């Protein structure tokens, strides 16, 4: 069989066998509507309640602080827009976020700007860490929400959420963190980390696509986004997706157990970084230490990312890039640009995101395969030609 | 997004990659900031026939494939014929491009015309055709 290495776990993950097994009874027998009074409904409700309890336990939170959504983007939209609508009642109209957030956060903020809210987009340093001084300078009594991601999806930078909570809470602002990438990589104890809201997504941790979650701390009141029936304690309408909720609970429990395996993942990541940055004119994007265990993001100068992805795909390796050519716009990754990476280097960025399913042999294969691809693309690049000619001259 | 088999063929086996040392016309279009640069080299004989054509491209799969296809379409043809090559002819020859990649074919057309303009200037012939600059004003 041809070699296949999946190194795009930050995009999505395969649904694990245990998760599928956990979900099957919800399709086959307990398929009732959890709002129904009869047995089929009660069975479904029992499964859902149990899942909610188990998820709360994973985060050291309370079951009534867990709200299920259709995806991570919905949870992000709800946290930001729901908070904005509520804070306006208190006369507050300022939100602070960062320049490197996921589009679900950035575009929610932009939508609110059109409704008259003021938004500050925090700068980040060259490693992608948010500027806490800028946060301290821009936060006022008028600030109702500070929304900063737990860890970045492109470069894996882990943000100082605890300190952000201290600064925000001192001014009476709520804190929301998008933890979609952090979950499964970092142990999150919500009895210790004082965030007011936290979002996550099932499909990044081996649950199916189509299930997300928003943690809303008890006592925090945000406006509804989806109006309708009385589901989710009247906060989020729509018949609950019981199978996927049960799947999410299983996936989160497994993810928590697998945290023990994180040092091994980190070791594989470090080997990838050390070996791949030996390629001339390459540079690691983000921090060497302060990054998610599975994230590697390297720019290769004088070539463009999509070409690398196509060749890697032919070799059976799935990865991703911050190049513009992989998107609909002419601009490369907003995250890399915010970190001060020049356009031309951002176009040549490659993200490899590995997981506990990755093996040492997979890492070997990537290390063997990539240098040849970079060389092949450089050999046909007019920019590389100039570099080579300059070398001969000197 | 999916590329046609022809695009993948030209991306993985690009025709006419390289440089021509004593080229009669050289054209460079695009810029690194936007993520694509094409460089075209032409060797033209006394009968105005493009006897050789080579390219180097920094860019995505479509940029490399359109450069490769464009060189194939003009090699062995006259300068007058090459001037008539449109970006849509390149797209057609590749069995289509995803809509977001059509600008790559525009770049290929520009690269050839820019190289031909260079040739005209070198032999003292007035440049009597226009070159669309798709990347103008983007710097």
């Amino acid at each position: 069989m041809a070699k296949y290495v999946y190194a795009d776990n930050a995009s999505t993950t395969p649904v694990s066998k245990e998760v599928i097994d956990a979900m099957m009874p919800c399709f086959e027998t307990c398929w009732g509507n959890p709002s129904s009074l009869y047995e089929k409904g009660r069975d479904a409700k029992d499964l859902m309640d149990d899942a909610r309890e188990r998820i709360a336990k994973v985060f050291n939170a309370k079951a009534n602080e867990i709200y299920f959504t259709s995806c991570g983007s919905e949870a992000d939209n709800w946290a930001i827009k729901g908070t904005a609508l509520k804070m306006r009642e208190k006369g507050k109209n300022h939100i602070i976020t960062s320049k490197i957030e996921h589009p679900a956060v950035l575009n929610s903020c932009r939508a609110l700007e059109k409704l008259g809210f003021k938004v500050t987009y925090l700068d980040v340093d060259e490693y992608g860490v948010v500027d806490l001084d800028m946060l301290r300078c821009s936060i006022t009594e008028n600030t109702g929400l500070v929304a900063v991601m737990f860890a970045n999806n492109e470069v894996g930078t882990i943000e100082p959420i605890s300190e952000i909570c201290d600064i925000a809470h001192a001014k009476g602002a709520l804190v929301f963190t998008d933890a979609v990438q952090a979950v499964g990589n970092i142990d999150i104890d919500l009895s210790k980390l004082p965030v007011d809201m936290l979002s996550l997504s099932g499909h990044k941790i081996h649950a199916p696509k189509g299930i997300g979650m928003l943690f809303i701390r008890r006592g925090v009141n945000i406006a509804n986004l989806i109006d309708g029936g009385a589901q989710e304690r009247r906060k989020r309408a729509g018949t609950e997706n019981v199978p996927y909720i049960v799947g999410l609970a299983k996936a989160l429990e497994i993810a928590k157990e697998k945290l023990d395996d994180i040092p091994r993942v980190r070791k594989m990541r470090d080997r990838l970084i050390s070996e791949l940055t030996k390629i001339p004119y390459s540079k690691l994007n983000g921090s060497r230490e302060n990054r998610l265990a599975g994230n590697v993001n390297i720019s290769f100068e004088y070539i463009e990312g999509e070409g690398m992805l196509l060749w890697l795909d032919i070799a059976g390796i799935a990865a991703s890039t911050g190049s513009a050519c992989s998107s609909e716009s002419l601009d490369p990754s907003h995250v890399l640009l915010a970190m001060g990476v020049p356009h031309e280097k951002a176009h040549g960025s490659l993200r490899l995101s590995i997981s506990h399913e990755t093996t040492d042999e997979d890492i070997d294969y990537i290390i063997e395969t990539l240098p040849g691809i970079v060389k092949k693309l450089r050999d046909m690049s007019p920019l590389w030609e100039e570099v080579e000619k300059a070398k001969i001259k000197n | 997004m999916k590329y046609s088999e022809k695009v993948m063929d030209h991306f993985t086996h690009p025709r006419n990659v390289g440089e021509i040392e004593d080229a009669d016309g050289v054209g460079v279009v695009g810029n690194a900031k936007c993520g694509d640069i094409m460089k075209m080299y032409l060797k033209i004989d006394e009968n105005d026939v493009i006897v050789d054509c080579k390219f180097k491209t920094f860019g995505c799969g479509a940029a490399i494939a359109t450069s490769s296809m464009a060189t194939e379409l003009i090699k062995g043809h006259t300068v007058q014929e090459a001037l008539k090559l449109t970006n849509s002819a390149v797209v057609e020859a590749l069995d289509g491009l995803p809509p977001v990649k059509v600008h790559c074919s525009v770049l290929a057309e520009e690269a050839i015309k820019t190289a031909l303009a260079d040739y005209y200037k070198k032999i003292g012939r007035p440049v009597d055709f226009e070159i669309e600059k798709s990347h103008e004003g983007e710097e």
Side-chain angles (χ1 to χ4, degrees):
Chain A
M1 209 179 97
K3 184 87 182 147
Y4 183 72
V5 176
Y6 184 70
D8 202 19
N9 288 277
S11 293
T12 195
T13 56
V15 181
S16 73
K17 179 76 172 63
E18 294 104 307
V19 169
I20 294 171
D21 289 346
M23 292 192 302
M24 284 319 281
C26 309
F27 293 114
E28 287 169 347
T29 48
C30 302
W31 43 260
N33 186 322
S35 299
S36 300
L37 274 175
Y38 43 79
E39 196 185 356
K40 274 269 181 245
R42 289 197 309 271
D43 287 349
K45 185 161 192 311
D46 285 347
L47 281 177
M48 187 173 75
D49 288 347
D50 174 61
R52 201 187 303 274
E53 287 285 348
R54 283 157 48 212
I55 291 171
K57 213 175 140 199
V58 165
F59 294 106
N60 220 347
K62 296 175 195 76
N64 62 10
E65 295 174 315
I66 308 296
Y67 296 85
F68 298 114
T69 62
S70 63
C71 59
S73 288
E74 186 198 322
D76 288 350
N77 270 262
W78 184 17
I80 293 165
K81 293 173 182 171
T83 303
L85 293 177
K86 213 66 185 177
M87 73 194 213
R88 195 179 248 180
E89 291 170 11
K90 295 181 193 151
K92 294 186 174 191
N93 83 329
H94 181 227
I95 293 168
I96 299 175
T97 187
S98 84
K99 286 184 177 167
I100 61 162
E101 297 297 311
H102 186 272
V105 169
L106 285 177
N107 288 333
S108 289
C109 288
R110 287 183 193 127
L112 289 169
E113 281 184 284
K114 286 191 186 132
L115 297 176
F117 288 91
K118 296 271 176 272
V119 180
T120 301
Y121 298 89
L122 297 175
D123 291 337
V124 296
D125 67 12
E126 60 174 309
Y127 300 113
V129 179
V130 292
D131 185 340
L132 292 182
D133 284 332
M134 188 177 172
L135 171 61
R136 286 187 197 97
C137 292
S138 52
I139 195 163
T140 70
E141 309 296 334
N142 194 28
T143 310
L145 177 68
V146 177
V148 175
M149 67 203 330
F150 205 118
N152 183 266
N153 49 318
E154 294 187 28
V155 291
T157 305
I158 300 160
E159 300 297 342
I161 298 298
S162 250
E163 285 166 89
I164 288 168
C165 287
D166 292 345
I167 298 165
H169 289 156
K171 286 280 182 183
L174 295 176
V175 175
F176 161 62
T177 190
D178 170 342
V180 167
Q181 296 290 334
V183 171
N185 280 285
I186 299 166
D187 192 22
I188 301 173
D189 182 343
L190 290 170
S191 73
K192 295 203 177 94
L193 184 74
V195 292
D196 299 286
M197 290 164 281
L198 174 144
S199 65
L200 64 87
S201 171
H203 75 101
K204 310 287 188 187
I205 50 161
H206 306 275
K209 294 156 190 70
I211 184 74
M213 192 197 99
L214 183 64
F215 158 86
I216 308 176
R217 194 173 291 282
R218 226 177 139 173
V220 172
N221 193 12
I222 68 170
N224 293 1
L225 210 61
I226 313 263
D227 292 311
Q231 293 89 356
E232 297 298 284
R233 304 177 297 293
R234 297 185 184 281
K235 292 302 293 175
R236 198 276 186 185
T239 300
E240 301 90 339
N241 189 347
V242 181
Y244 285 23
I245 288 169
V246 169
L248 179 64
K250 189 73 195 170
L252 281 168
E253 285 175 340
I254 297 170
K256 178 138 183 162
E257 283 167 29
K258 295 259 169 115
L259 285 174
D260 294 341
D261 202 21
I262 286 294
R264 186 182 65 89
V265 177
R266 196 176 288 130
K267 232 170 133 178
M268 290 191 288
R269 172 201 75 186
D270 288 342
R271 197 153 73 87
L272 270 180
I273 293 173
S274 300
E275 292 302 316
L276 296 181
T277 50
K278 283 182 187 163
I279 296 173
Y281 302 96
S282 64
K283 188 177 179 289
L284 178 70
N285 293 313
S287 158
R288 179 92 204 209
E289 297 300 327
N290 178 36
R291 74 188 303 139
L292 291 174
N295 177 287
V296 175
N297 188 311
I298 299 174
S299 279
F300 298 95
E301 280 190 78
Y302 314 114
I303 58 174
E304 196 275 339
E306 195 204 84
M308 272 190 280
L309 292 198
L310 292 170
W311 275 118
L312 284 168
D313 183 38
I314 290 166
I317 300 170
S320 111
T321 172
S323 123
C325 266
S326 66
S327 71
E328 303 277 311
S329 80
L330 269 180
D331 279 326
S333 154
H334 68 286
V335 175
L336 296 178
L337 294 184
M339 287 160 60
V341 176
H343 272 73
E344 46 274 36
K345 288 190 193 175
H347 284 301
S349 70
L350 178 74
R351 180 187 72 180
L352 298 160
S353 45
I354 59 170
S355 79
H356 57 82
E357 291 187 345
T358 311
T359 64
D360 281 321
E361 290 69 41
D362 293 341
I363 303 295
D364 290 340
Y365 185 61
I366 296 170
I367 292 167
E368 279 162 27
T369 310
L370 192 62
I373 290 174
V374 171
K375 185 181 181 305
K376 194 162 7 198
L377 290 168
R378 279 183 178 163
D379 282 346
M380 63 171 86
S381 164
L383 298 171
W384 184 245
E385 180 185 310
E386 286 164 28
V387 175
E388 294 282 274
K389 279 184 183 157
K391 264 193 218 160
I392 295 164
K393 260 189 202 164
N394 296 329
Chain B
M1 197 187 69
K2 199 173 177 293
Y3 285 132
S4 70
E5 274 177 37
K6 271 241 175 86
V7 172
M8 284 310 291
D9 176 37
H10 276 262
F11 168 70
T12 51
H13 304 98
R15 281 61 147 177
N16 308 309
V17 182
E19 302 162 53
I20 299 173
E21 287 290 331
D22 54 344
D24 298 301
V26 179
V28 186
V29 294
N31 63 61
K33 200 185 163 197
C34 295
D36 36 28
I37 299 176
M38 277 182 203
K39 192 168 184 181
M40 247 348 135
Y41 299 83
L42 303 177
K43 188 82 198 146
I44 299 165
D45 72 6
E46 64 283 3
N47 300 319
D48 256 9
V49 173
I50 300 167
V51 289
D52 199 9
C53 177
K54 295 241 187 277
F55 81 91
K56 282 218 169 165
T57 291
F58 158 82
C60 63
I64 290 166
T66 50
S67 316
S68 165
M69 180 53 90
T71 60
E72 276 217 316
L73 291 173
I74 61 164
K75 204 169 161 178
H77 290 263
T78 65
V79 166
Q80 288 311 315
E81 284 165 338
L83 280 171
K84 284 188 198 133
L85 182 75
T86 62
N87 77 296
S88 42
V90 177
V91 174
E92 206 176 306
L94 286 167
D95 291 341
L97 276 179
V100 292
K101 299 292 186 181
V102 170
H103 80 275
C104 295
S105 65
V106 177
L107 215 55
E109 181 192 323
E110 273 175 50
I112 289 169
K113 293 206 166 119
T114 308
L116 288 171
D118 180 51
Y119 164 65
Y120 274 33
K121 279 176 202 151
K122 273 185 186 155
I123 60 166
R125 194 187 290 170
V127 179
D128 57 354
F129 54 87
E130 280 183 21
I131 306 165
E132 192 194 337
K133 287 278 181 211
S134 63
H135 276 287
E136 213 155 45
E138 281 168 7
E139 259 298 62

